[in-house]
Amino acid sequence: MQLGRAGLAWAAALLLAALGAQAAAGDFDPYRVLGVGRSSSQADIKKAYKRLAREWHPDKNKDPGAEDKFIQISKAYEILSNEEKRANFDRYGDAGESQGYSQHQHRQFHHFHEGFYFDESFFHFPFNSERRDSSDEKYLLHFSHYINEIVPDSFKKPYLIKITSDWCFSCIHIEPVWKEVAQELEALGAGIGVVHAGYERRLAHHLGAHSTPSLLGLINGKITFFHNAVIRENLRQFVENLLPGNLVEKITDKNYIRFLSNWKKENKPHVLLFDHMPVVPLLYKLTAFAYRDYLSFGYVYVGLRGTEELSSQYNINVYTPTMMIFKEHIDKPADVVQARDMKKQLIDDFLSQNKFLMVARLTNQRLFQELCPVKKSHRQRKHCVVLLTGEGEKFAEAYETFLAFAVANTKDTLKFVHIYNDRQPEFADALLMDEEKYRGKSAVVILERRNNAGKIAYKTLEEAWQGSNEDNFILLDLLDQLRTDPGLLSSETVLADLNDELAPMFLIRWLYSMLDYILDCWDSLFHSNWREMMPLLSLLFSALFILFGTVIVQAFSDSSDARDSPPSEKEETAAKTEKNDVSFSKESNSRIPKKGFVEVTELTDINYNSNLVRLRPGHMNVVLILSNSTKTALLQKFALEVYTFTGSSSLHFSFLSLDKHREWLEYLLEFAQDAAPIPNQYDKHFLERDYTGYVLALNGHKKYFCLFKPHRSGDEGGTLGSCEDYDSSLHTETRGKSSCSPGSRSIKNKLHKLSFWMERLLEGSLQRFYIPSWPALD
C-alpha cells in the first residue's frame, strides 16, 4: 500500500513537471520573437530572420544575452519555416510532433502502475552553449577554416566530423562514445571536427548534412557518411575503411627481398614494422597514409610461421615492436627505432628524418624543391650535388661510386641526387654545355637554387664522372672550396620544371576517377535521400544527353562528308603553289587527313596590324621564321606539325621572312634573352646567326609571346628542346654559326616535336615573354 502511495506521489510529481514544461513551452512565441504576424508569408519570415540573425549573431553582437537571443531566433525560424511545425503551433501552441498535450496524453506516458515513457518532443530543452560539452570547443569548424585548411589536410590524414545542434536530443546519447573515440583517434593521427548546424548552416549544407546528429568521414577531399550504430568499434572501423587498402603490404620470408628491392623502381625508402599483433595497427596505417608520397610500408607479424628467417636476418626482438628503414642497401637497415609503446610523435620524428634515399632520383619538380631548397640567407645555403647519368649496366659503376661518395660525405648543407638524362632532357641540356664531351657518359654538377622561378647558380665538373679516385678527389676539393668561396658557382641559368616521371597515365587517372564516381553513386543510392541524389541524377542525365547528342551529330556529319567530292588534281596543285597557303595530302604520314590543308599567311607590313597588333582577345598568331632558301621545306613540315591544331578558331598561322624582317625579330628576341641570347651589333657573326625554324606564338592583345627554338644537331629524334621555356643552355653557346644551321642536319628536322610544343601552348604551361609594345614591321 505504501509502495502504491509512493508510486502515485512520483507520478503526480512527474505530471506537474510535465505540465510546467508544457506551460514554459507555451510561453515561447516564434511570431513574437521574429516580429512577424501570423499571416506572414515565408518570404517575410525569412527576411525577418536574416535581419535579426545578423543583428544578434554572437560574433558581431557583444551583448551578454546575444547568444540566447540568437538561439531563440534560430528556433523560431526553425518552427515557422516548416509548414507542419507552424501548423502545429498555430493549432496547439506547440510545434512538436505531440500536437497538443491534452489530446495525446498517451504518447507521453502509459498507466502509472506500469511506469513512465517520455518521447523526445515532450521536453523542449534549449541546449545552448553553456550546456554544450566543452571538449567539442577545440574541434569546432567554420566554413572558411574547413575549405582552406581541413580539406587540404585531408590528403594527409582522414577526418571524422560530427554535425550537431543545440536542439538535438539524440546528440546527448552519442556524446560519451563520441568523446572516447575522438580522443583515441586524435592520438593515433586522425583529424576530428565538429560542425554546429545552428551557427554554421552554410558548412552543414555544404557537407550534405540535413539532420542532426550526423557523422561523416573526410579523406582526400571526399566525404563519406557513417550509417551504422554509434559504438566505438564501428567508428574505428569506419575511419579505417576510409584509408586505401594498399597502404601497407604484409611481409614474410617469401617476399621481403622483392619488397625491399623496389626502392630503385619507386625511388623511396622502405619501412618495415615488426610487431606481435596479427592485424596491422591503425596507428601504422594512418602513418603510412601520411607519408605515402615519401615512403613504402610493410608489416611483419612476428608470431606468424614463415617470418623466422626475416627476424633472424635483422636480429629482431620479437617481444618489442621494432621499426626499420631501408634505403639503397637492403642487407642492413639505414635506421632503427624500438619501443614497447610506439607513439605517434616517436614515429613521426623517426620517419621525418628518413624521408629520402641517400642519393634520391629527381623524378618531379616537388622532389627537386624539397631536396634542393632555395637559399634564404648566407648561413642557410643548401647545395645539391647532381649526378647526370643514364640507365643500364653501362652506368652502374659511376652510380655506385657516386653513392659511396655521398654516404661518406653526409652534411646538412649538401644533398646528393641523380637524374636520368633521357627522362629529364631539358634539365640535362641546360647544365651540360658541351654535349659531345659528355655524350654516353655521366657528369656531376654542383648547383644552388636562387629563386622559385628556376634560376640557379652551378658549376659542372670539367671531366665526365668515371668514379675514379681522381674524380673523388676533384669533387671533394670543390666542395671544400665551396664552403669558403660561394662564388665558385660562376655559371647561372634558368631551369624548366622537371617532368613528373611517376605520374599515372591519363587513361589510368580517368579509370580511377570513374571508379570513385561509381562508388559515390552506389553509396548515395542506398544511403542518401532524394534531395542528395538530385545532383547525381542531373549529372547522369546530362552526360547521357551529351553522349547521344554527339553520336547523332557525328552521324549526320559523316553522311554529309561522304557526299562531298574529293578535290580535283588541278585544285590540289594550285593550292600547293599558292603563295600564302600550304596544302598537303596523306602520302607518308598516317595522321594527316585526305582533305586537309593549313592556311599559312605571310606576315607583312600590310596585314601586320590586323594579324597581330589588333588581334582579338584570346587569339594567337603562330609565326614560323624562314628564309627564301628554306621556305618550301619548312612550310611543308610546319603544316604537318600544326595541322591537328587547326580546329581551334583562336589560332592563326603565319610565316615571316628572315631576309626581310631580321631587325624586327632581333628586337623581339631581346625580351627573351634567357631563351635566345642575341649577339650585339658589333659581333662579327651577327649577320650569320640563323633563326630559320624558330616559331613564335604571339598574343597581340596581351603583348606577350612564347618561343620555340629548333633542336640542336646532337638530338637524334630524341628530345624536345628547351625552347618553350627559358633555354638556359644558350648562355654558353659560342658566338658564330648556330648549331641549328642547315648544314648540321636536314631543314625539316628543325621543327621536330613542334606538335608537343603546340600542346603545351594550348595548355598555357609555356614561358611567356612580355613586351611594352609591338614594334613596327618595316
Side-chain angles (χ1 to χ4, degrees), residues 436-573:
E436 294 297 333
K437 185 176 184 179
Y438 300 104
R439 184 169 303 281
K441 300 178 182 179
S442 301
V444 172
V445 177
I446 306 172
L447 65 84
E448 178 185 35
R449 292 180 63 225
R450 294 293 173 85
N451 59 33
N452 291 320
K455 185 176 181 180
I456 66 165
Y458 71 98
K459 181 175 181 58
T460 305
L461 267 66
E462 295 182 1
E463 299 298 331
W465 176 267
Q466 302 292 341
S468 63
N469 291 334
E470 183 180 357
D471 291 341
N472 281 267
F473 287 134
I474 293 174
L475 179 56
L476 186 60
D477 183 56
L478 287 175
L479 294 178
D480 287 338
Q481 295 180 44
L482 189 61
R483 287 187 296 178
T484 57
D485 182 18
L488 184 66
L489 307 182
S490 55
S491 302
E492 289 189 351
T493 188
V494 177
L495 297 177
D497 287 352
L498 273 71
N499 303 324
D500 190 351
E501 299 177 17
L502 304 180
M505 298 175 59
F506 171 77
L507 180 60
I508 296 177
R509 296 199 304 269
W510 183 84
L511 289 175
Y512 282 150
S513 301
M514 181 61 67
L515 180 61
D516 289 340
Y517 181 75
I518 293 173
L519 292 176
D520 287 342
C521 294
W522 184 266
D523 182 71
S524 299
L525 181 64
F526 286 96
H527 298 293
S528 301
N529 55 39
W530 284 104
R531 177 167 53 178
E532 296 172 350
M533 282 290 292
M534 285 306 296
L536 294 174
L537 294 175
S538 175
L539 183 61
L540 178 62
F541 283 114
S542 299
L544 291 175
F545 177 79
I546 293 173
L547 177 63
F548 286 108
T550 304
V551 172
I552 294 173
V553 171
Q554 185 66 32
F556 281 104
S557 175
D558 291 344
S559 61
S560 176
D561 290 343
R563 291 192 296 269
D564 294 338
S565 58
S568 63
E569 183 180 351
K570 182 178 180 181
E571 291 174 346
E572 288 184 359
T573 305

Side-chain angles (χ1 to χ4, degrees), residues 167-299:
W167 301 90
C168 172
F169 187 82
S170 299
C171 298
I172 299 176
H173 295 288
I174 70 170
E175 197 61 37
V177 178
W178 165 260
K179 184 187 300 184
E180 177 187 1
V181 173
Q183 293 176 352
E184 180 184 358
L185 292 177
E186 187 179 28
L188 296 178
I192 304 296
V194 175
V195 177
H196 194 285
Y199 297 100
E200 290 292 335
R201 287 179 177 270
R202 181 184 179 189
L203 178 53
H205 179 74
H206 176 79
L207 296 174
H210 304 296
S211 62
T212 55
S214 293
L215 296 175
L216 57 92
L218 174 70
I219 190 170
N220 293 332
K222 176 185 174 184
I223 296 171
T224 304
F225 276 85
F226 175 78
H227 301 289
N228 296 327
V230 182
I231 59 177
R232 176 179 174 275
E233 291 74 14
N234 287 349
L235 287 174
R236 277 181 57 94
Q237 190 62 44
F238 172 68
V239 172
E240 190 166 351
N241 290 341
L242 293 175
L243 299 169
N246 58 348
L247 283 174
V248 182
E249 185 176 351
K250 295 288 186 68
I251 304 300
T252 63
D253 293 341
K254 297 180 178 179
N255 64 352
Y256 81 94
I257 294 180
R258 176 194 57 78
F259 173 75
L260 296 178
S261 300
N262 278 339
W263 67 266
K264 194 167 187 178
K265 178 182 177 182
E266 299 176 2
N267 195 36
K268 297 177 182 179
H270 282 56
V271 186
L272 283 182
L273 175 64
F274 297 81
D275 204 348
H276 57 274
M277 297 180 63
V279 295
V280 182
L282 180 56
L283 170 62
Y284 196 54
K285 288 186 177 181
L286 291 170
T287 302
F289 180 76
Y291 289 91
R292 68 190 186 281
D293 292 335
Y294 301 97
L295 303 162
S296 292
F297 292 83
Y299 180 74

Side-chain angles (χ1 to χ4, degrees), residues 391-460:
E391 299 182 70
E393 292 297 328
K394 177 182 177 181
F395 302 93
E397 184 178 354
Y399 169 77
E400 291 296 337
T401 54
F402 185 78
L403 175 61
F405 184 91
V407 173
N409 293 272
T410 55
K411 299 178 182 178
D412 293 338
T413 58
L414 292 177
K415 287 292 184 181
F416 293 86
V417 297
H418 73 285
I419 69 164
Y420 289 150
N421 294 343
D422 56 341
R423 299 197 186 188
Q424 303 291 346
E426 296 179 13
F427 189 96
D429 290 343
L431 297 178
L432 301 180
M433 292 81 66
D434 187 359
E435 288 191 355
E436 294 297 333
K437 185 176 184 179
Y438 300 104
R439 184 169 303 281
K441 300 178 182 179
S442 301
V444 172
V445 177
I446 306 172
L447 65 84
E448 178 185 35
R449 292 180 63 225
R450 294 293 173 85
N451 59 33
N452 291 320
K455 185 176 181 180
I456 66 165
Y458 71 98
K459 181 175 181 58
T460 305

Side-chain angles (χ1 to χ4, degrees), residues 75-96:
K75 179 61 179 176
Y77 180 69
E78 182 183 350
I79 293 173
L80 297 184
S81 62
N82 188 301
E83 294 295 344
E84 183 180 353
K85 291 184 178 181
R86 182 178 180 181
N88 288 340
F89 182 84
D90 291 341
R91 189 175 305 170
Y92 306 112
D94 177 21

Side-chain angles (χ1 to χ4, degrees), residues 6 36 68 84 89 115 122 231 257 300 342 388 404 407 429 436 478 564 601 658 663 747:
V36 296
D68 292 336
E84 183 180 353
F89 182 84
F122 188 85
I231 59 177
I257 294 180
V300 182
M342 285 281 187
L388 298 97
V407 173
D429 290 343
E436 294 297 333
L478 287 175
D564 294 338
T601 307
L658 185 62
E663 239 180 83
I747 298 298

